[in-house]
Amino acid sequence: MATLDDIVALCKRRGFIYPGSEIYGGITGFWDYGPMGTELKRNLKNLWWKHMVQLRDDVVGQMQRSS
């Protein structure tokens, strides 16, 4: 069974995430999404929206207008 450290190492090798401190010399504990991570995040968000909002008759999606 893979540990969390194994999964994080795989994601770093494949370009899904990068520790923020490695790229910009920033604070440790923060992560930046790589190109693959950005796509994965967008796909998960779209899948969640589809199943939790679009496919349900009792839910209406609303967009919040930013100021």
Side-chain angles (χ1 to χ4, degrees), residues 1-66:
M1 183 109 194
T3 66
L4 183 58
D5 291 334
D6 295 335
I7 295 169
V8 169
L10 176 66
C11 290
K12 285 171 60 177
R13 281 194 313 270
R14 302 280 171 94
F16 284 92
I17 58 171
Y18 300 101
S21 60
E22 281 185 12
I23 296 176
Y24 306 110
I27 302 170
T28 59
F30 291 93
W31 297 88
D32 293 317
Y33 292 106
M36 298 295 287
T38 302
E39 284 294 313
L40 178 64
K41 181 181 174 185
R42 186 177 60 83
N43 289 341
L44 288 171
K45 184 190 284 187
N46 289 342
L47 185 64
W48 181 90
W49 185 262
K50 179 180 177 182
H51 284 276
M52 296 296 169
V53 177
Q54 292 175 342
L55 295 179
R56 293 181 56 175
D57 294 331
D58 60 336
V59 175
V60 176
Q62 293 182 337
M63 296 293 293
Q64 179 180 351
R65 192 170 89 170
S66 56

